[in-house]
Amino acid sequence: METHYPRSSVLLVEVVVALYDWKYPYIGPKIDSAFGSGFIVDLQEYLPYEDLRSKRILTNAHIVDNGRYISVNHPDYTNKKYEGTVEAIAMDCDIAIIKICNNDDYDEFLGELLPLAISSELPSLGCKVQAIGFPIKNTLRVARGSITRIELETYSISDRELMVYQLDISIMEGHSGGPVVYSDNVGSVVGIVFESEVENPDISYIIPNVIIHHFLQDFSHNRECRFPALGISCQNLTSPALRRNLGIDEMAPEYEGCGIRITSISDISCLKKELREGDVILEIENFRIDHDLNFVIRNGVRLHYAHIITTKHIGDTLSMVVLRLPRKKKKRKRLGLANITVPLNEDLNSIKIVRTWCKNRVPEFYFVGGFLFQPLTCEYIEALYDEEYEEEDDCFSQYLEEECSSKGKEMIVLNRVLPHTSNVGYHDLFDEIVLKVNGVKVKNFSRFVKRVKKLEEEGEYLTFELESGDLITIDEHISTQSI
């Protein structure tokens, strides 16, 4: 039976946000308002410093990101709004911590309210839960249902593939950031509401307690919450003919039914020196990897092997058992099962060539001779979808999964050309990838800007080579005469 307890711990979060248009970065932000939900937790064991006022509010990162002013309150108990600030935020997993700014406000508002506890157990499929939040501003609602699936899904805010719990509950926008608690233990949080299925509103997704604990552990060490990435692609080995041809079952009979084949390794992957394409991964962190790329996390629950990597933290080590296949087919000699331990030093943002979502990011751009240049980011690509492009016409989607050839590399895009006498003949150019400046490749946007500025100071012609094959040349005397 539901008690009053969890209701009093769920708060309304209101935010004044700065929204940037990444296609028109020079215009500046539009100020708007938004609201969502949050809930009280006691982070005494996680705080990286001593603080007797240890209660905080957990919510979604997408609610408070780029927030200029944040307030929290509980409409059922008070009309007063209390100012808060973001103490920690993780775009990868869409979680943020709000701290009440003023000690007197803390004592008045949070002092007597009881916190919720984050469960540490993996829930059972079919268990009954309640999602609590403010789908309508100032009106608290409780939605009831059950956990129907445990799987890996892409978080829309970050394009990271992480664990989610799927619910058969219909939720609305304002529910985001609110807790999902067990129906038979309403003080225990199993996850945070954050997304729903667009085509089926009766399906929603929550950030699992496993991910919340990962976030809090990073917070306790005063470090940004990031999830490691191996930077490899693997092929399933469900085909019996392929396994026979490779001789896997013959060379590793003790791992019957296990093994996935590495098809590519990123140049900056932590595995680059240890493994090679064609190697077969049999086991990761004592979990046997089945031929279909999944592993058994618990009876009745199987997940993609990538989940094992995301349970780790940047700086941890990862153990693997790998079978190295002979290069020549006739050599059936077993090359041995290699036990490998590697440091996890890279995350998705350092491996992918397109920058993933980052907290409170402001668009970077540079004008020269009326040409507007920017780094290619997820925000920029999303702005194209919101503008005139159809998905099949989007010329940048191919880069979303492309990996860096070197650390810190990113792509430069010519956004548009603002008509001026200095750029006659180029007015129809837009959304073009820049490959070289005066014959030299540039590694990232920062180096691009430095090189262009240096050439301008030296009075050089500026020549940009585009991926389309087009060339742009700007006269050295007029490159700085227009924005």
Side-chain angles (χ1 to χ4, degrees):
M1 182 176 178
E2 185 189 345
T3 68
H4 181 69
Y5 170 42
R7 282 176 167 269
S8 64
S9 303
V10 182
L11 307 178
L12 176 66
V13 179
E14 297 181 80
V15 187
V16 177
V17 294
L19 302 176
Y20 291 90
D21 188 333
W22 289 73
K23 282 293 289 178
Y24 302 90
Y26 47 87
I27 292 177
K30 171 188 173 184
I31 303 302
D32 204 351
S33 61
F35 73 93
S37 304
F39 59 98
I40 304 168
V41 290
D42 191 332
L43 298 186
Q44 185 64 60
E45 64 176 295
Y46 291 106
L47 288 176
Y49 53 88
E50 187 174 345
D51 189 350
L52 297 178
R53 295 177 174 88
S54 57
K55 292 178 187 176
R56 300 290 189 270
I57 297 124
L58 283 187
T59 188
N60 286 143
H62 74 256
I63 294 174
V64 298
D65 183 40
N66 277 321
R68 295 293 179 88
Y69 178 81
I70 300 169
S71 66
V72 295
N73 79 316
H74 199 305
D76 289 354
Y77 297 93
T78 178
N79 290 324
K80 184 176 178 180
K81 297 179 180 180
Y82 298 86
E83 183 179 356
T85 185
V86 175
E87 186 170 17
I89 187 169
M91 303 303 284
D92 271 8
C93 59
D94 201 4
I95 304 176
I97 297 173
I98 299 174
K99 179 181 180 180
I100 298 298
C101 295
N102 184 279
N103 287 343
D104 291 338
D105 285 346
Y106 177 99
D107 296 337
E108 178 184 330
F109 183 50
L110 294 185
E112 299 303 318
L113 294 178
L114 294 173
L116 298 178
I118 310 298
S119 170
S120 58
E121 300 295 325
L122 191 70
S124 302
L125 290 176
C127 69
K128 300 298 181 183
V129 293
Q130 301 176 12
I132 310 172
F134 291 88
I136 302 172
K137 196 172 181 181
N138 298 323
T139 305
L140 188 68
R141 290 284 184 267
V142 178
R144 295 172 176 82
S146 58
I147 295 177
T148 55
R149 295 181 70 182
I150 299 175
E151 58 189 350
L152 266 62
E153 285 286 347
T154 301
Y155 284 41
S156 61
I157 191 175
S158 63
D159 289 326
R160 283 301 320 247
E161 194 171 67
L162 299 171
M163 178 192 271
V164 299
Y165 298 155
Q166 180 180 300
L167 311 182
D168 56 358
I169 295 177
S170 178
I171 61 170
M172 296 170 64
E173 262 185 63
H175 257 125
S176 289
V180 175
V181 299
Y182 289 107
S183 293
D184 59 357
N185 184 6
V186 291
S188 182
V189 175
V190 70
I192 303 173
V193 176
F194 80 120
E195 289 182 0
S196 61
E197 192 75 52
V198 176
E199 297 180 356
N200 189 347
D202 291 330
I203 294 178
S204 56
Y205 299 96
I206 65 174
I207 302 165
N209 48 352
V210 174
I211 301 294
I212 300 172
H213 281 294
H214 188 290
F215 167 77
L216 292 176
Q217 287 162 12
D218 276 335
F219 172 67
S220 71
H221 289 87
N222 204 23
R223 62 193 180 198
E224 183 181 0
C225 178
R226 296 186 294 156
F227 295 83
L230 289 184
I232 63 173
S233 297
C234 291
Q235 175 188 11
N236 72 67
L237 293 176
T238 54
S239 166
L242 178 58
R243 293 199 305 275
R244 284 195 299 271
N245 182 50
L246 295 175
I248 294 171
D249 294 338
E250 177 186 342
M251 287 184 284
E254 63 269 51
Y255 282 93
E256 183 180 357
C258 301
I260 55 177
R261 180 176 174 270
I262 298 175
T263 56
S264 67
I265 304 176
S266 167
D267 288 337
I268 59 174
S269 168
C270 60
L271 298 176
K272 188 68 177 177
K273 294 181 180 179
E274 301 290 342
L275 300 179
R276 68 188 186 199
E277 294 173 4
D279 286 350
V280 176
I281 299 174
L282 300 169
E283 185 176 291
I284 303 176
E285 289 291 312
N286 297 317
F287 287 103
R288 294 192 169 207
I289 311 302
D290 295 339
H291 290 323
D292 62 356
L293 306 174
N294 295 314
F295 74 102
V296 178
I297 190 171
R298 193 181 64 191
N299 288 340
V301 180
R302 301 175 74 245
L303 294 174
H304 191 276
Y305 77 89
H307 173 68
I308 304 173
I309 291 88
T310 59
T311 61
K312 295 287 196 173
H313 299 265
I314 299 294
D316 288 350
T317 57
L318 186 80
S319 63
M320 309 173 76
V321 177
V322 176
L323 174 65
R324 176 150 290 169
L325 298 177
R327 288 184 179 270
K328 294 184 180 178
K329 229 172 120 183
K330 291 184 180 177
K331 282 185 163 183
R332 282 305 188 206
K333 179 180 162 189
R334 171 173 166 151
L335 297 186
L337 296 177
N339 291 287
I340 295 172
T341 301
V342 293
L344 295 171
N345 298 321
E346 307 298 339
D347 67 353
L348 188 71
N349 206 27
S350 59
I351 287 177
K352 298 298 183 184
I353 200 166
V354 175
R355 285 198 208 168
T356 56
W357 306 92
C358 293
K359 62 182 180 181
N360 299 324
R361 187 151 71 196
V362 175
E364 293 180 82
F365 63 93
Y366 186 70
F367 269 120
V368 55
F371 294 87
L372 172 59
F373 297 98
Q374 290 177 249
L376 184 61
T377 63
C378 287
E379 293 94 336
Y380 186 91
I381 293 174
E382 184 186 50
L384 295 184
Y385 285 107
D386 292 340
E387 202 181 40
E388 71 271 15
Y389 285 86
E390 297 292 336
E391 184 170 351
E392 59 269 20
D393 296 326
D394 176 21
C395 54
F396 297 132
S397 58
Q398 60 180 307
Y399 299 114
L400 287 173
E401 297 305 317
E402 188 171 325
E403 296 174 346
C404 293
S405 56
S406 61
K407 194 170 183 179
K409 183 175 175 57
E410 62 185 357
M411 306 192 79
I412 315 301
V413 61
L414 169 63
N415 177 324
R416 65 185 68 241
V417 181
L418 300 187
H420 188 271
T421 54
S422 65
N423 53 49
V424 172
Y426 303 115
H427 296 170
D428 59 344
L429 293 177
F430 62 95
D431 296 332
E432 294 268 7
I433 295 295
V434 180
L435 298 180
K436 296 180 181 179
V437 181
N438 284 33
V440 177
K441 291 182 179 180
V442 285
K443 184 174 183 179
N444 52 43
F445 190 67
S446 175
R447 294 189 182 182
F448 170 85
V449 173
K450 286 180 181 178
R451 177 156 179 78
V452 171
K453 285 182 176 180
K454 182 180 179 182
L455 291 170
E456 286 183 297
E457 290 170 359
E458 294 173 352
E460 295 276 347
Y461 275 99
L462 291 176
T463 300
F464 302 95
E465 295 180 37
L466 307 182
E467 190 177 56
S468 62
D470 289 342
L471 284 178
I472 296 172
T473 297
I474 306 177
D475 191 291
E476 76 275 19
H477 299 299
I478 58 176
S479 64
T480 58
Q481 292 180 9
S482 63
I483 60 172

Short mmCIF file of all heavy atoms in Angstrom, two decimals, residues 440-469:
data_model
loop_
_atom_site.label_atom_id
_atom_site.label_comp_id
_atom_site.label_asym_id
_atom_site.label_seq_id
_atom_site.Cartn_x
_atom_site.Cartn_y
_atom_site.Cartn_z
N VAL A 440 47.22 22.19 -46.06
CA VAL A 440 47.56 21.47 -44.83
C VAL A 440 46.29 20.97 -44.13
O VAL A 440 45.34 21.73 -43.93
CB VAL A 440 48.36 22.38 -43.87
CG1 VAL A 440 48.65 21.65 -42.56
CG2 VAL A 440 49.65 22.84 -44.52
N LYS A 441 46.27 19.70 -43.75
CA LYS A 441 45.15 19.15 -42.99
C LYS A 441 45.18 19.71 -41.58
O LYS A 441 46.26 19.87 -40.99
CB LYS A 441 45.22 17.62 -42.93
CG LYS A 441 44.98 16.93 -44.25
CD LYS A 441 45.03 15.42 -44.09
CE LYS A 441 44.77 14.71 -45.42
NZ LYS A 441 44.80 13.23 -45.27
N VAL A 442 44.00 20.00 -41.04
CA VAL A 442 43.93 20.50 -39.66
C VAL A 442 43.26 19.44 -38.79
O VAL A 442 42.26 18.83 -39.20
CB VAL A 442 43.17 21.84 -39.58
CG1 VAL A 442 44.04 22.96 -40.09
CG2 VAL A 442 41.87 21.80 -40.37
N LYS A 443 43.80 19.23 -37.60
CA LYS A 443 43.35 18.13 -36.75
C LYS A 443 42.01 18.41 -36.10
O LYS A 443 41.17 17.53 -35.98
CB LYS A 443 44.40 17.84 -35.68
CG LYS A 443 44.07 16.66 -34.80
CD LYS A 443 45.21 16.33 -33.87
CE LYS A 443 44.92 15.09 -33.05
NZ LYS A 443 46.02 14.73 -32.15
N ASN A 444 41.80 19.66 -35.65
CA ASN A 444 40.56 19.99 -34.95
C ASN A 444 40.27 21.48 -35.13
O ASN A 444 41.03 22.21 -35.77
CB ASN A 444 40.63 19.61 -33.47
CG ASN A 444 41.87 20.18 -32.79
OD1 ASN A 444 42.22 21.33 -32.99
ND2 ASN A 444 42.54 19.35 -31.99
N PHE A 445 39.14 21.91 -34.56
CA PHE A 445 38.69 23.28 -34.79
C PHE A 445 39.64 24.31 -34.18
O PHE A 445 39.88 25.37 -34.77
CB PHE A 445 37.28 23.46 -34.23
CG PHE A 445 36.63 24.76 -34.62
CD1 PHE A 445 36.30 25.01 -35.94
CD2 PHE A 445 36.37 25.73 -33.67
CE1 PHE A 445 35.71 26.20 -36.32
CE2 PHE A 445 35.78 26.93 -34.04
CZ PHE A 445 35.45 27.16 -35.37
N SER A 446 40.17 24.00 -33.02
CA SER A 446 41.10 24.93 -32.37
C SER A 446 42.31 25.19 -33.25
O SER A 446 42.73 26.35 -33.44
CB SER A 446 41.53 24.36 -31.02
OG SER A 446 42.51 25.18 -30.42
N ARG A 447 42.89 24.15 -33.82
CA ARG A 447 44.05 24.31 -34.69
C ARG A 447 43.67 24.97 -36.02
O ARG A 447 44.47 25.71 -36.60
CB ARG A 447 44.70 22.95 -34.95
CG ARG A 447 45.31 22.33 -33.69
CD ARG A 447 46.13 21.11 -34.02
NE ARG A 447 46.68 20.49 -32.82
CZ ARG A 447 47.48 19.44 -32.82
NH1 ARG A 447 47.85 18.88 -33.98
NH2 ARG A 447 47.94 18.93 -31.69
N PHE A 448 42.46 24.71 -36.47
CA PHE A 448 41.95 25.34 -37.69
C PHE A 448 41.94 26.86 -37.52
O PHE A 448 42.44 27.61 -38.37
CB PHE A 448 40.54 24.82 -37.99
CG PHE A 448 39.82 25.58 -39.08
CD1 PHE A 448 40.01 25.27 -40.42
CD2 PHE A 448 38.93 26.59 -38.75
CE1 PHE A 448 39.34 25.97 -41.42
CE2 PHE A 448 38.24 27.29 -39.74
CZ PHE A 448 38.45 26.98 -41.08
N VAL A 449 41.37 27.32 -36.41
CA VAL A 449 41.27 28.77 -36.16
C VAL A 449 42.66 29.38 -36.03
O VAL A 449 42.95 30.45 -36.59
CB VAL A 449 40.43 29.05 -34.90
CG1 VAL A 449 40.48 30.52 -34.53
CG2 VAL A 449 38.99 28.60 -35.11
N LYS A 450 43.56 28.72 -35.31
CA LYS A 450 44.92 29.24 -35.14
C LYS A 450 45.64 29.37 -36.47
O LYS A 450 46.34 30.36 -36.73
CB LYS A 450 45.72 28.32 -34.20
CG LYS A 450 45.32 28.42 -32.74
CD LYS A 450 46.16 27.47 -31.89
CE LYS A 450 45.73 27.56 -30.43
NZ LYS A 450 46.51 26.60 -29.59
N ARG A 451 45.46 28.37 -37.33
CA ARG A 451 46.14 28.40 -38.64
C ARG A 451 45.59 29.52 -39.51
O ARG A 451 46.36 30.26 -40.16
CB ARG A 451 46.00 27.06 -39.34
CG ARG A 451 46.61 27.07 -40.74
CD ARG A 451 47.01 25.70 -41.22
NE ARG A 451 47.58 25.75 -42.57
CZ ARG A 451 48.81 26.15 -42.84
NH1 ARG A 451 49.62 26.51 -41.88
NH2 ARG A 451 49.24 26.16 -44.09
N VAL A 452 44.28 29.67 -39.54
CA VAL A 452 43.67 30.73 -40.35
C VAL A 452 44.12 32.10 -39.88
O VAL A 452 44.48 32.98 -40.67
CB VAL A 452 42.13 30.62 -40.34
CG1 VAL A 452 41.48 31.83 -41.01
CG2 VAL A 452 41.67 29.34 -41.04
N LYS A 453 44.12 32.31 -38.57
CA LYS A 453 44.55 33.60 -38.02
C LYS A 453 46.01 33.90 -38.37
O LYS A 453 46.37 35.03 -38.71
CB LYS A 453 44.37 33.60 -36.50
CG LYS A 453 42.93 33.75 -36.04
CD LYS A 453 42.85 33.80 -34.51
CE LYS A 453 41.41 34.06 -34.05
NZ LYS A 453 41.33 34.11 -32.57
N LYS A 454 46.85 32.88 -38.29
CA LYS A 454 48.26 33.06 -38.60
C LYS A 454 48.45 33.45 -40.06
O LYS A 454 49.24 34.36 -40.39
CB LYS A 454 49.03 31.77 -38.29
CG LYS A 454 50.53 31.90 -38.54
CD LYS A 454 51.25 30.59 -38.21
CE LYS A 454 52.75 30.74 -38.51
NZ LYS A 454 53.48 29.47 -38.25
N LEU A 455 47.72 32.77 -40.95
CA LEU A 455 47.83 33.08 -42.38
C LEU A 455 47.33 34.48 -42.68
O LEU A 455 47.88 35.19 -43.54
CB LEU A 455 47.05 32.05 -43.19
CG LEU A 455 47.64 30.62 -43.21
CD1 LEU A 455 46.65 29.64 -43.82
CD2 LEU A 455 48.97 30.61 -43.97
N GLU A 456 46.28 34.90 -41.97
CA GLU A 456 45.76 36.26 -42.15
C GLU A 456 46.80 37.29 -41.73
O GLU A 456 47.01 38.31 -42.41
CB GLU A 456 44.47 36.44 -41.34
CG GLU A 456 43.27 35.73 -41.92
CD GLU A 456 42.01 36.01 -41.12
OE1 GLU A 456 41.96 35.62 -39.94
OE2 GLU A 456 41.07 36.61 -41.68
N GLU A 457 47.45 37.03 -40.60
CA GLU A 457 48.45 37.97 -40.10
C GLU A 457 49.65 38.06 -41.05
O GLU A 457 50.28 39.12 -41.18
CB GLU A 457 48.93 37.52 -38.71
CG GLU A 457 47.88 37.68 -37.62
CD GLU A 457 48.29 37.02 -36.32
OE1 GLU A 457 49.40 36.41 -36.30
OE2 GLU A 457 47.52 37.09 -35.34
N GLU A 458 49.95 36.95 -41.71
CA GLU A 458 51.08 36.93 -42.64
C GLU A 458 50.72 37.47 -44.01
O GLU A 458 51.58 37.54 -44.90
CB GLU A 458 51.63 35.49 -42.75
CG GLU A 458 52.23 34.97 -41.46
CD GLU A 458 52.61 33.50 -41.54
OE1 GLU A 458 52.25 32.86 -42.56
OE2 GLU A 458 53.25 32.99 -40.60
N GLY A 459 49.43 37.82 -44.21
CA GLY A 459 49.00 38.38 -45.49
C GLY A 459 48.93 37.37 -46.60
O GLY A 459 49.11 37.70 -47.78
N GLU A 460 48.67 36.11 -46.26
CA GLU A 460 48.60 35.03 -47.25
C GLU A 460 47.18 34.92 -47.82
O GLU A 460 46.20 35.27 -47.17
CB GLU A 460 48.97 33.69 -46.60
CG GLU A 460 50.39 33.59 -46.11
CD GLU A 460 51.34 33.19 -47.22
OE1 GLU A 460 50.85 32.75 -48.29
OE2 GLU A 460 52.56 33.35 -47.02
N TYR A 461 47.12 34.43 -49.07
CA TYR A 461 45.82 34.00 -49.58
C TYR A 461 45.33 32.86 -48.69
O TYR A 461 46.12 32.06 -48.19
CB TYR A 461 45.95 33.47 -51.01
CG TYR A 461 45.91 34.51 -52.09
CD1 TYR A 461 47.08 34.97 -52.67
CD2 TYR A 461 44.69 35.02 -52.54
CE1 TYR A 461 47.06 35.93 -53.68
CE2 TYR A 461 44.66 35.97 -53.55
CZ TYR A 461 45.83 36.43 -54.11
OH TYR A 461 45.79 37.37 -55.10
N LEU A 462 44.02 32.78 -48.52
CA LEU A 462 43.43 31.65 -47.79
C LEU A 462 42.74 30.74 -48.80
O LEU A 462 41.87 31.17 -49.55
CB LEU A 462 42.41 32.14 -46.76
CG LEU A 462 42.95 32.90 -45.56
CD1 LEU A 462 41.81 33.40 -44.68
CD2 LEU A 462 43.87 32.01 -44.74
N THR A 463 43.17 29.48 -48.81
CA THR A 463 42.56 28.50 -49.71
C THR A 463 42.04 27.32 -48.89
O THR A 463 42.79 26.71 -48.11
CB THR A 463 43.59 27.98 -50.74
OG1 THR A 463 44.07 29.09 -51.51
CG2 THR A 463 42.92 26.98 -51.68
N PHE A 464 40.77 27.04 -49.04
CA PHE A 464 40.13 25.93 -48.33
C PHE A 464 39.75 24.84 -49.33
O PHE A 464 39.07 25.12 -50.33
CB PHE A 464 38.88 26.41 -47.60
CG PHE A 464 39.12 27.51 -46.60
CD1 PHE A 464 38.96 28.84 -46.96
CD2 PHE A 464 39.53 27.22 -45.31
CE1 PHE A 464 39.19 29.87 -46.06
CE2 PHE A 464 39.77 28.23 -44.39
CZ PHE A 464 39.61 29.56 -44.77
N GLU A 465 40.19 23.63 -49.05
CA GLU A 465 39.80 22.49 -49.88
C GLU A 465 38.64 21.76 -49.21
O GLU A 465 38.74 21.39 -48.03
CB GLU A 465 40.99 21.53 -50.06
CG GLU A 465 42.15 22.14 -50.82
CD GLU A 465 43.31 21.18 -50.97
OE1 GLU A 465 43.04 19.95 -51.15
OE2 GLU A 465 44.47 21.62 -50.89
N LEU A 466 37.55 21.58 -49.95
CA LEU A 466 36.35 20.95 -49.41
C LEU A 466 36.27 19.49 -49.82
O LEU A 466 36.84 19.08 -50.84
CB LEU A 466 35.11 21.71 -49.89
CG LEU A 466 35.09 23.23 -49.63
CD1 LEU A 466 33.78 23.83 -50.11
CD2 LEU A 466 35.33 23.53 -48.16
N GLU A 467 35.55 18.72 -49.06
CA GLU A 467 35.39 17.29 -49.34
C GLU A 467 34.70 17.07 -50.68
O GLU A 467 34.95 16.07 -51.36
CB GLU A 467 34.58 16.63 -48.22
CG GLU A 467 34.56 15.12 -48.29
CD GLU A 467 33.82 14.51 -47.12
OE1 GLU A 467 32.63 14.85 -46.91
OE2 GLU A 467 34.42 13.68 -46.41
N SER A 468 33.87 18.01 -51.09
CA SER A 468 33.15 17.90 -52.37
C SER A 468 34.08 18.06 -53.56
O SER A 468 33.70 17.79 -54.70
CB SER A 468 32.05 18.95 -52.44
OG SER A 468 32.61 20.26 -52.40
N GLY A 469 35.30 18.55 -53.31
CA GLY A 469 36.24 18.82 -54.38
C GLY A 469 36.35 20.29 -54.72
O GLY A 469 37.27 20.70 -55.45
#
